[in-house]
Coordinates of all heavy atoms in Angstrom, one line a residue:
M1007 N -23.2 -132.6 -83.9 CA -23.5 -132.0 -82.6 C -24.7 -131.1 -82.8 O -24.8 -130.4 -83.7 CB -22.3 -131.2 -82.1 CG -22.6 -130.7 -80.7 SD -21.1 -129.8 -80.1 CE -21.8 -128.2 -80.2
V1008 N -25.6 -131.3 -81.9 CA -26.8 -130.5 -81.9 C -26.6 -129.2 -81.1 O -26.2 -129.2 -80.0 CB -28.0 -131.2 -81.3 CG1 -29.3 -130.4 -81.4 CG2 -28.2 -132.5 -82.1
R1009 N -26.9 -128.1 -81.7 CA -26.7 -126.8 -81.0 C -27.9 -126.5 -80.1 O -29.0 -126.9 -80.3 CB -26.5 -125.7 -82.1 CG -25.3 -125.9 -82.9 CD -25.1 -124.8 -83.9 NE -24.0 -125.1 -84.7 CZ -22.8 -124.6 -84.5 NH1 -22.5 -123.8 -83.5 NH2 -21.8 -124.8 -85.3
P1010 N -27.6 -125.7 -79.1 CA -28.7 -125.3 -78.1 C -29.9 -124.7 -78.8 O -31.1 -125.0 -78.4 CB -28.0 -124.3 -77.2 CG -26.6 -124.7 -77.2 CD -26.3 -125.2 -78.6
R1011 N -29.7 -123.8 -79.8 CA -30.8 -123.2 -80.5 C -31.7 -124.2 -81.2 O -32.9 -124.2 -81.2 CB -30.3 -122.2 -81.5 CG -31.4 -121.5 -82.3 CD -32.4 -120.7 -81.4 NE -31.7 -119.4 -81.0 CZ -32.2 -118.6 -80.1 NH1 -33.3 -118.8 -79.5 NH2 -31.5 -117.5 -79.8
Q1012 N -31.1 -125.3 -81.8 CA -31.8 -126.3 -82.4 C -32.7 -127.1 -81.4 O -33.8 -127.4 -81.7 CB -30.9 -127.3 -83.2 CG -30.1 -126.6 -84.3 CD -29.0 -127.4 -84.8 OE1 -28.5 -128.3 -84.1 NE2 -28.5 -127.1 -86.0
I1013 N -32.1 -127.3 -80.2 CA -32.9 -128.0 -79.2 C -34.1 -127.1 -78.8 O -35.2 -127.6 -78.6 CB -32.0 -128.3 -78.0 CG1 -31.0 -129.4 -78.4 CG2 -32.8 -128.8 -76.8 CD1 -29.9 -129.6 -77.4
Q1014 N -33.8 -125.8 -78.7 CA -34.9 -124.9 -78.3 C -36.0 -124.9 -79.3 O -37.2 -124.9 -79.0 CB -34.4 -123.5 -78.2 CG -33.5 -123.3 -77.0 CD -32.8 -121.9 -77.0 OE1 -32.7 -121.2 -78.0 NE2 -32.4 -121.5 -75.8
V1015 N -35.7 -124.9 -80.6 CA -36.7 -125.0 -81.7 C -37.5 -126.3 -81.6 O -38.7 -126.3 -81.7 CB -36.1 -124.8 -83.1 CG1 -37.1 -125.0 -84.2 CG2 -35.5 -123.4 -83.2
L1016 N -36.8 -127.4 -81.4 CA -37.4 -128.7 -81.3 C -38.4 -128.7 -80.1 O -39.5 -129.2 -80.2 CB -36.4 -129.8 -81.2 CG -35.7 -130.3 -82.4 CD1 -34.6 -131.3 -82.1 CD2 -36.7 -130.9 -83.4
R1017 N -37.9 -128.2 -79.0 CA -38.7 -128.1 -77.8 C -40.0 -127.3 -78.0 O -41.1 -127.7 -77.6 CB -37.9 -127.6 -76.6 CG -38.6 -127.7 -75.3 CD -37.8 -127.4 -74.1 NE -36.8 -128.5 -73.9 CZ -35.5 -128.4 -73.6 NH1 -35.0 -127.2 -73.6 NH2 -34.8 -129.4 -73.5
Y1018 N -39.8 -126.2 -78.7 CA -41.0 -125.3 -79.0 C -42.0 -126.1 -79.8 O -43.2 -126.0 -79.5 CB -40.5 -124.0 -79.7 CG -41.7 -123.2 -80.1 CD1 -42.4 -122.4 -79.2 CD2 -42.2 -123.2 -81.4 CE1 -43.5 -121.7 -79.6 CE2 -43.3 -122.5 -81.8 CZ -43.9 -121.7 -80.9 OH -45.0 -121.0 -81.2
I1019 N -41.5 -126.7 -80.9 CA -42.4 -127.5 -81.7 C -43.1 -128.6 -80.9 O -44.3 -128.8 -81.0 CB -41.7 -128.0 -83.0 CG1 -41.2 -126.9 -83.8 CG2 -42.6 -129.0 -83.8 CD1 -40.2 -127.3 -84.9
S1020 N -42.4 -129.3 -80.1 CA -42.9 -130.4 -79.3 C -44.0 -129.8 -78.3 O -45.1 -130.4 -78.2 CB -41.8 -131.1 -78.5 OG -42.3 -132.1 -77.7
D1021 N -43.6 -128.8 -77.6 CA -44.6 -128.2 -76.7 C -45.8 -127.7 -77.4 O -47.0 -127.8 -76.9 CB -43.9 -127.0 -75.9 CG -42.9 -127.5 -74.9 OD1 -42.8 -128.7 -74.6 OD2 -42.1 -126.6 -74.5
Y1022 N -45.6 -127.1 -78.6 CA -46.8 -126.6 -79.4 C -47.7 -127.7 -79.7 O -48.9 -127.6 -79.6 CB -46.3 -125.9 -80.6 CG -47.4 -125.0 -81.3 CD1 -47.4 -123.7 -81.1 CD2 -48.3 -125.6 -82.1 CE1 -48.4 -122.9 -81.7 CE2 -49.3 -124.9 -82.7 CZ -49.3 -123.5 -82.5 OH -50.3 -122.8 -83.1
W1023 N -47.1 -128.9 -80.1 CA -47.9 -130.1 -80.4 C -48.7 -130.5 -79.2 O -49.9 -130.9 -79.3 CB -47.0 -131.2 -80.9 CG -46.9 -131.4 -82.4 CD1 -45.8 -131.1 -83.1 CD2 -47.9 -131.9 -83.3 NE1 -46.1 -131.4 -84.5 CE2 -47.3 -131.9 -84.6 CE3 -49.2 -132.5 -83.1 CZ2 -48.0 -132.4 -85.7 CZ3 -49.8 -132.9 -84.2 CH2 -49.3 -132.9 -85.4
D1024 N -48.0 -130.5 -78.1 CA -48.7 -131.0 -76.8 C -49.9 -130.1 -76.5 O -50.9 -130.6 -76.0 CB -47.7 -130.9 -75.6 CG -46.7 -132.0 -75.7 OD1 -46.8 -132.9 -76.5 OD2 -45.7 -131.9 -75.0
W1025 N -49.8 -128.8 -76.7 CA -50.9 -127.9 -76.4 C -52.0 -127.7 -77.4 O -53.1 -127.5 -77.1 CB -50.3 -126.5 -76.1 CG -49.7 -126.4 -74.7 CD1 -48.3 -126.6 -74.5 CD2 -50.3 -126.2 -73.5 NE1 -48.1 -126.5 -73.1 CE2 -49.3 -126.3 -72.5 CE3 -51.6 -126.0 -73.1 CZ2 -49.6 -126.1 -71.1 CZ3 -51.9 -125.9 -71.8 CH2 -50.9 -125.9 -70.8
H1026 N -51.6 -127.9 -78.7 CA -52.5 -127.6 -79.8 C -52.9 -128.8 -80.7 O -53.7 -128.6 -81.6 CB -52.0 -126.5 -80.7 CG -51.7 -125.2 -79.9 ND1 -52.6 -124.3 -79.6 CD2 -50.5 -124.7 -79.5 CE1 -52.1 -123.3 -78.9 NE2 -50.8 -123.5 -78.8
D1027 N -52.3 -129.9 -80.5 CA -52.5 -131.1 -81.4 C -52.2 -130.8 -82.9 O -52.9 -131.4 -83.7 CB -53.9 -131.6 -81.2 CG -54.1 -132.5 -80.0 OD1 -53.0 -133.0 -79.5 OD2 -55.2 -132.6 -79.5
Q1028 N -51.3 -129.9 -83.1 CA -50.9 -129.6 -84.5 C -49.5 -128.9 -84.4 O -49.2 -128.4 -83.3 CB -51.9 -128.8 -85.2 CG -52.1 -127.5 -84.6 CD -53.2 -126.7 -85.4 OE1 -53.8 -127.2 -86.4 NE2 -53.6 -125.5 -84.9
A1029 N -48.8 -128.9 -85.5 CA -47.5 -128.2 -85.5 C -47.7 -126.7 -85.6 O -48.7 -126.2 -86.2 CB -46.7 -128.7 -86.7
P1030 N -46.7 -125.9 -85.2 CA -46.8 -124.5 -85.4 C -46.5 -124.1 -86.8 O -45.9 -124.9 -87.5 CB -45.7 -123.9 -84.5 CG -44.7 -125.0 -84.4 CD -45.5 -126.3 -84.4
T1031 N -47.0 -123.0 -87.3 CA -46.6 -122.5 -88.6 C -45.2 -121.9 -88.5 O -44.7 -121.6 -87.4 CB -47.6 -121.4 -89.1 OG1 -47.5 -120.3 -88.2 CG2 -49.0 -121.9 -89.1
G1032 N -44.6 -121.7 -89.7 CA -43.3 -121.0 -89.7 C -43.4 -119.6 -89.1 O -42.5 -119.2 -88.3
R1033 N -44.5 -118.9 -89.3 CA -44.7 -117.6 -88.8 C -44.7 -117.6 -87.2 O -44.2 -116.8 -86.5 CB -45.9 -117.0 -89.3 CG -46.2 -115.5 -88.9 CD -47.3 -114.9 -89.7 NE -46.8 -114.7 -91.1 CZ -47.6 -114.5 -92.1 NH1 -48.9 -114.4 -91.9 NH2 -47.1 -114.3 -93.3
E1034 N -45.4 -118.7 -86.7 CA -45.5 -118.8 -85.2 C -44.1 -119.1 -84.6 O -43.8 -118.6 -83.5 CB -46.5 -119.9 -84.9 CG -47.9 -119.4 -85.2 CD -49.0 -120.6 -85.1 OE1 -48.6 -121.7 -85.4 OE2 -50.1 -120.2 -84.9
I1035 N -43.4 -119.9 -85.3 CA -42.0 -120.2 -84.8 C -41.2 -119.0 -84.8 O -40.5 -118.6 -83.8 CB -41.4 -121.3 -85.7 CG1 -42.1 -122.7 -85.5 CG2 -39.9 -121.5 -85.3 CD1 -41.7 -123.7 -86.4
A1036 N -41.2 -118.2 -85.9 CA -40.4 -117.0 -86.0 C -40.9 -116.0 -84.9 O -40.0 -115.4 -84.3 CB -40.6 -116.4 -87.4
A1037 N -42.1 -115.9 -84.7 CA -42.6 -114.9 -83.7 C -42.2 -115.4 -82.3 O -41.8 -114.5 -81.4 CB -44.1 -114.8 -83.7
A1038 N -42.2 -116.7 -82.0 CA -41.8 -117.2 -80.7 C -40.4 -116.8 -80.3 O -40.0 -116.6 -79.2 CB -42.0 -118.7 -80.6
F1039 N -39.5 -116.8 -81.4 CA -38.1 -116.5 -81.2 C -37.7 -115.1 -81.5 O -36.5 -114.7 -81.4 CB -37.2 -117.5 -81.9 CG -37.3 -118.9 -81.3 CD1 -38.2 -119.8 -81.8 CD2 -36.5 -119.3 -80.3 CE1 -38.3 -121.1 -81.3 CE2 -36.6 -120.6 -79.7 CZ -37.5 -121.5 -80.2
G1040 N -38.6 -114.3 -82.0 CA -38.3 -112.9 -82.4 C -37.5 -112.8 -83.7 O -36.7 -111.9 -83.8
W1041 N -37.7 -113.8 -84.6 CA -36.9 -113.9 -85.8 C -37.8 -113.4 -87.0 O -39.0 -113.3 -86.9 CB -36.6 -115.3 -86.2 CG -35.7 -116.0 -85.2 CD1 -34.8 -115.5 -84.4 CD2 -35.6 -117.4 -85.0 NE1 -34.1 -116.4 -83.6 CE2 -34.6 -117.6 -84.0 CE3 -36.3 -118.5 -85.6 CZ2 -34.3 -118.9 -83.6 CZ3 -35.9 -119.8 -85.1 CH2 -34.9 -120.0 -84.2
H1042 N -37.0 -113.0 -88.1 CA -37.7 -112.9 -89.4 C -37.9 -114.3 -89.9 O -37.2 -115.2 -89.5 CB -36.8 -112.1 -90.3 CG -36.6 -110.7 -89.9 ND1 -37.5 -109.7 -90.0 CD2 -35.5 -110.1 -89.3 CE1 -37.1 -108.6 -89.6 NE2 -35.8 -108.8 -89.1
Q1043 N -38.8 -114.4 -90.8 CA -39.1 -115.8 -91.3 C -37.9 -116.4 -92.0 O -37.8 -117.6 -92.0 CB -40.3 -115.8 -92.2 CG -41.6 -115.8 -91.4 CD -42.8 -116.2 -92.2 OE1 -43.5 -115.3 -92.8 NE2 -43.1 -117.5 -92.2
S1044 N -37.0 -115.6 -92.6 CA -35.8 -116.3 -93.2 C -35.0 -117.0 -92.2 O -34.4 -118.0 -92.4 CB -35.0 -115.2 -94.0 OG -34.6 -114.2 -93.1
S1045 N -34.9 -116.4 -91.0 CA -34.1 -117.1 -89.9 C -34.8 -118.4 -89.5 O -34.2 -119.4 -89.2 CB -34.0 -116.1 -88.7 OG -33.3 -115.0 -89.0
E1046 N -36.1 -118.3 -89.4 CA -36.9 -119.5 -89.0 C -36.6 -120.6 -90.0 O -36.4 -121.8 -89.7 CB -38.4 -119.1 -88.9 CG -39.3 -120.3 -88.9 CD -39.8 -120.6 -90.3 OE1 -40.0 -119.6 -91.1 OE2 -40.1 -121.7 -90.6
Q1047 N -36.7 -120.3 -91.3 CA -36.5 -121.3 -92.3 C -35.1 -121.8 -92.3 O -34.9 -123.0 -92.5 CB -36.8 -120.7 -93.7 CG -36.8 -121.7 -94.8 CD -37.9 -122.8 -94.5 OE1 -39.1 -122.4 -94.3 NE2 -37.6 -124.0 -94.6
F1048 N -34.1 -121.0 -92.0 CA -32.7 -121.5 -91.8 C -32.6 -122.6 -90.8 O -32.1 -123.6 -91.0 CB -31.8 -120.3 -91.5 CG -30.4 -120.7 -91.1 CD1 -29.5 -121.0 -92.0 CD2 -30.0 -120.7 -89.7 CE1 -28.2 -121.3 -91.7 CE2 -28.8 -121.1 -89.4 CZ -27.8 -121.4 -90.4
H1049 N -33.2 -122.3 -89.6 CA -33.2 -123.3 -88.5 C -34.0 -124.6 -88.9 O -33.5 -125.7 -88.6 CB -33.6 -122.7 -87.2 CG -32.7 -121.7 -86.7 ND1 -31.5 -122.0 -86.1 CD2 -32.7 -120.3 -86.7 CE1 -30.9 -120.9 -85.7 NE2 -31.6 -119.9 -86.1
L1050 N -35.1 -124.4 -89.5 CA -35.9 -125.6 -89.9 C -35.2 -126.4 -90.9 O -35.2 -127.6 -90.9 CB -37.3 -125.2 -90.4 CG -38.3 -124.6 -89.4 CD1 -39.6 -124.3 -90.0 CD2 -38.5 -125.6 -88.2
D1051 N -34.5 -125.7 -91.9 CA -33.7 -126.5 -92.9 C -32.6 -127.3 -92.2 O -32.4 -128.5 -92.7 CB -33.1 -125.5 -93.9 CG -34.2 -125.0 -94.9 OD1 -35.3 -125.5 -94.9 OD2 -33.9 -124.0 -95.5
I1052 N -32.0 -126.8 -91.2 CA -31.0 -127.6 -90.5 C -31.6 -128.8 -89.9 O -31.1 -129.9 -90.0 CB -30.2 -126.7 -89.5 CG1 -29.4 -125.6 -90.2 CG2 -29.4 -127.5 -88.5 CD1 -28.8 -124.6 -89.3
L1053 N -32.7 -128.6 -89.2 CA -33.3 -129.7 -88.5 C -33.9 -130.7 -89.4 O -33.8 -132.0 -89.2 CB -34.4 -129.2 -87.5 CG -33.9 -128.4 -86.4 CD1 -35.1 -127.6 -85.7 CD2 -33.2 -129.2 -85.4
L1054 N -34.4 -130.3 -90.6 CA -34.9 -131.2 -91.6 C -33.8 -132.0 -92.2 O -33.9 -133.2 -92.4 CB -35.7 -130.4 -92.7 CG -37.1 -129.9 -92.2 CD1 -37.5 -128.7 -93.2 CD2 -38.1 -131.0 -92.2
G1055 N -32.7 -131.3 -92.5 CA -31.5 -131.9 -93.1 C -30.9 -132.9 -92.2 O -30.3 -134.0 -92.6
A1056 N -30.9 -132.7 -90.9 CA -30.3 -133.6 -89.9 C -31.3 -134.8 -89.5 O -30.9 -135.6 -88.8 CB -30.0 -132.8 -88.6
G1057 N -32.5 -134.8 -90.1 CA -33.4 -135.8 -89.9 C -34.2 -135.8 -88.5 O -34.7 -136.7 -88.1
M1058 N -34.1 -134.6 -87.9 CA -34.8 -134.4 -86.6 C -36.3 -134.0 -86.8 O -37.1 -134.1 -85.9 CB -34.1 -133.4 -85.8 CG -32.8 -134.0 -85.3 SD -31.9 -132.9 -84.2 CE -30.6 -132.4 -85.2
L1059 N -36.6 -133.4 -88.0 CA -37.9 -133.1 -88.4 C -38.2 -133.6 -89.8 O -37.3 -133.8 -90.6 CB -38.1 -131.5 -88.5 CG -38.1 -130.7 -87.3 CD1 -38.2 -129.2 -87.7 CD2 -39.3 -131.0 -86.4
T1060 N -39.5 -133.9 -90.0 CA -40.0 -134.1 -91.4 C -41.1 -133.2 -91.7 O -41.7 -132.6 -90.7 CB -40.5 -135.6 -91.5 OG1 -41.6 -135.8 -90.6 CG2 -39.4 -136.6 -91.3
R1061 N -41.4 -133.0 -92.9 CA -42.5 -132.2 -93.4 C -43.4 -133.0 -94.3 O -42.9 -133.6 -95.2 CB -41.9 -130.9 -94.1 CG -42.9 -129.9 -94.4 CD -42.3 -128.7 -95.2 NE -41.2 -128.1 -94.5 CZ -41.3 -126.9 -94.0 NH1 -42.4 -126.2 -94.1 NH2 -40.2 -126.4 -93.3
I1062 N -44.6 -133.0 -94.0 CA -45.6 -133.7 -94.8 C -45.9 -132.8 -96.0 O -46.4 -131.7 -95.8 CB -46.9 -134.0 -94.0 CG1 -46.5 -134.9 -92.8 CG2 -47.9 -134.7 -94.9 CD1 -47.6 -135.1 -91.8
P1063 N -45.5 -133.2 -97.2 CA -45.7 -132.3 -98.4 C -47.2 -131.9 -98.6 O -48.1 -132.8 -98.4 CB -45.2 -133.2 -99.5 CG -44.4 -134.2 -98.9 CD -44.9 -134.4 -97.6
G1064 N -47.4 -130.7 -98.8 CA -48.8 -130.2 -99.1 C -49.7 -130.0 -97.9 O -50.9 -129.7 -98.1
K1065 N -49.2 -130.3 -96.7 CA -50.0 -130.2 -95.6 C -49.6 -128.9 -94.8 O -48.5 -128.8 -94.4 CB -49.9 -131.4 -94.7 CG -50.8 -131.3 -93.4 CD -50.7 -132.6 -92.6 CE -51.6 -132.4 -91.4 NZ -51.5 -133.4 -90.4
H1066 N -50.6 -128.1 -94.6 CA -50.4 -126.9 -93.7 C -50.1 -127.4 -92.3 O -50.7 -128.3 -91.8 CB -51.6 -126.0 -93.7 CG -51.5 -124.7 -93.0 ND1 -50.6 -123.8 -93.3 CD2 -52.2 -124.3 -91.9 CE1 -50.7 -122.8 -92.5 NE2 -51.7 -123.0 -91.6
R1067 N -49.1 -126.8 -91.6 CA -48.7 -127.3 -90.3 C -48.2 -128.7 -90.4 O -48.5 -129.6 -89.5 CB -49.8 -127.1 -89.3 CG -50.3 -125.7 -89.1 CD -51.4 -125.6 -88.1 NE -51.9 -124.3 -87.9 CZ -51.4 -123.4 -87.0 NH1 -50.5 -123.8 -86.1 NH2 -51.9 -122.2 -86.9
G1068 N -47.4 -129.1 -91.4 CA -47.0 -130.4 -91.6 C -45.7 -130.8 -91.0 O -45.1 -131.8 -91.4
L1069 N -45.2 -130.1 -90.1 CA -43.9 -130.5 -89.4 C -44.2 -131.6 -88.4 O -45.2 -131.5 -87.6 CB -43.3 -129.3 -88.7 CG -42.7 -128.2 -89.5 CD1 -42.2 -127.0 -88.6 CD2 -41.5 -128.7 -90.3
T1070 N -43.3 -132.5 -88.4 CA -43.4 -133.6 -87.4 C -42.0 -133.9 -86.9 O -41.0 -134.0 -87.6 CB -43.9 -134.9 -88.1 OG1 -45.2 -134.6 -88.7 CG2 -44.1 -136.0 -87.1
I1071 N -41.9 -134.1 -85.6 CA -40.6 -134.4 -85.0 C -40.4 -135.9 -85.2 O -41.2 -136.7 -84.9 CB -40.5 -134.1 -83.5 CG1 -40.7 -132.6 -83.3 CG2 -39.2 -134.5 -82.8 CD1 -40.8 -132.1 -81.9
T1072 N -39.2 -136.3 -85.7 CA -38.9 -137.7 -85.9 C -38.4 -138.4 -84.6 O -38.2 -137.7 -83.6 CB -37.7 -137.8 -87.0 OG1 -36.6 -137.2 -86.4 CG2 -38.1 -137.2 -88.3
E1073 N -38.1 -139.7 -84.7 CA -37.6 -140.4 -83.6 C -36.2 -139.8 -83.2 O -35.9 -139.7 -82.0 CB -37.5 -141.9 -83.9 CG -38.8 -142.6 -84.0 CD -39.5 -142.6 -82.6 OE1 -38.8 -142.8 -81.6 OE2 -40.7 -142.5 -82.6
A1074 N -35.4 -139.4 -84.2 CA -34.1 -138.8 -83.9 C -34.3 -137.5 -83.2 O -33.6 -137.2 -82.2 CB -33.4 -138.6 -85.2
G1075 N -35.3 -136.7 -83.6 CA -35.5 -135.5 -82.9 C -36.0 -135.7 -81.4 O -35.6 -135.0 -80.5
L1076 N -36.9 -136.7 -81.3 CA -37.3 -137.0 -79.9 C -36.2 -137.5 -79.0 O -36.1 -137.1 -77.9 CB -38.4 -138.0 -80.0 CG -39.7 -137.6 -80.5 CD1 -40.7 -138.8 -80.7 CD2 -40.4 -136.5 -79.7
G1077 N -35.2 -138.2 -79.6 CA -34.1 -138.7 -78.9 C -33.2 -137.5 -78.5 O -32.7 -137.5 -77.3
V1078 N -33.1 -136.5 -79.3 CA -32.3 -135.3 -79.0 C -32.9 -134.6 -77.8 O -32.3 -134.2 -76.9 CB -32.1 -134.4 -80.2 CG1 -31.6 -133.0 -79.8 CG2 -31.2 -135.0 -81.2
L1079 N -34.3 -134.5 -77.9 CA -35.0 -133.8 -76.8 C -34.9 -134.6 -75.5 O -34.6 -134.0 -74.4 CB -36.5 -133.6 -77.2 CG -36.8 -132.5 -78.2 CD1 -38.3 -132.6 -78.5 CD2 -36.4 -131.2 -77.6
N1080 N -35.0 -135.9 -75.5 CA -34.9 -136.7 -74.3 C -33.5 -136.6 -73.7 O -33.3 -136.5 -72.5 CB -35.2 -138.1 -74.6 CG -36.7 -138.3 -74.9 OD1 -37.5 -137.5 -74.4 ND2 -37.0 -139.4 -75.6
Q1081 N -32.4 -136.6 -74.6 CA -31.1 -136.5 -74.1 C -30.8 -135.1 -73.5 O -30.2 -135.0 -72.5 CB -30.1 -136.8 -75.2 CG -28.6 -136.8 -74.8 CD -28.4 -137.9 -73.8 OE1 -28.8 -139.1 -74.0 NE2 -27.7 -137.6 -72.7
A1082 N -31.4 -134.1 -74.1 CA -31.2 -132.7 -73.6 C -31.8 -132.6 -72.2 O -31.2 -132.0 -71.3 CB -31.8 -131.7 -74.6
E1083 N -32.9 -133.3 -72.0 CA -33.6 -133.2 -70.7 C -32.7 -133.9 -69.6 O -32.6 -133.5 -68.5 CB -35.0 -133.9 -70.7 CG -36.0 -133.0 -71.4 CD -37.3 -133.6 -71.5 OE1 -37.6 -134.6 -70.8 OE2 -38.2 -133.1 -72.3
L1084 N -32.1 -135.0 -70.0 CA -31.2 -135.8 -69.1 C -29.9 -135.0 -68.8 O -29.4 -135.1 -67.7 CB -30.8 -137.1 -69.7 CG -31.9 -138.2 -69.9 CD1 -31.4 -139.4 -70.6 CD2 -32.5 -138.6 -68.5
D1085 N -29.5 -134.2 -69.8 CA -28.2 -133.4 -69.6 C -28.4 -132.1 -68.8 O -27.4 -131.6 -68.3 CB -27.6 -133.1 -70.9 CG -27.1 -134.3 -71.7 OD1 -26.9 -135.3 -71.0 OD2 -26.9 -134.2 -72.9
E1086 N -29.7 -131.7 -68.6 CA -29.9 -130.5 -67.9 C -29.7 -130.7 -66.4 O -30.0 -131.7 -65.9 CB -31.4 -130.0 -68.1 CG -31.6 -129.5 -69.5 CD -33.0 -129.0 -69.8 OE1 -33.9 -129.2 -68.9 OE2 -33.3 -128.5 -70.9
P1087 N -29.1 -129.7 -65.8 CA -28.8 -129.8 -64.3 C -30.1 -129.8 -63.5 O -31.1 -129.4 -63.8 CB -28.0 -128.6 -64.0 CG -28.1 -127.7 -65.1 CD -28.6 -128.4 -66.3

């Protein structure tokens, strides 16, 4: 089951891509949610482990939303009232 916070993080990353043509940094994600970077890494690790995100090794801003992650975002939009 995908938690609401995970959907919020995916949505933030997706929106950031739409506006900037690149992924946000960990620091930008943490700032957007008012977290310390350790909290940001915790949430990213969950999303990476669940296959909703991938990280391109050695690439700055290397986060990419996978098909599974896009499916979660699409389903969340359908479920919203």
Side-chain angles (χ1 to χ4, degrees):
M1007 184 176 110
V1008 181
R1009 297 182 183 265
R1011 179 63 76 188
Q1012 295 165 345
I1013 293 169
Q1014 290 172 339
V1015 173
L1016 282 173
R1017 187 171 287 135
Y1018 175 78
I1019 294 169
S1020 176
D1021 290 346
Y1022 194 98
W1023 263 105
D1024 289 346
W1025 283 96
H1026 302 283
D1027 281 336
Q1028 61 185 358
T1031 64
R1033 186 171 290 164
E1034 289 166 333
I1035 295 169
F1039 289 93
W1041 297 334
H1042 294 283
Q1043 278 196 273
S1044 60
S1045 296
E1046 162 266 326
Q1047 191 58 53
F1048 170 78
H1049 289 286
L1050 289 182
D1051 286 346
I1052 290 171
L1053 293 168
L1054 288 161
M1058 291 183 251
L1059 286 177
T1060 59
R1061 187 182 303 249
I1062 301 168
K1065 182 176 179 191
H1066 184 62
R1067 298 179 181 267
L1069 287 175
T1070 303
I1071 299 175
T1072 64
E1073 289 295 320
L1076 291 173
V1078 166
L1079 285 175
N1080 290 335
Q1081 186 61 48
E1083 288 178 15
L1084 292 174
D1085 291 344
E1086 289 178 355

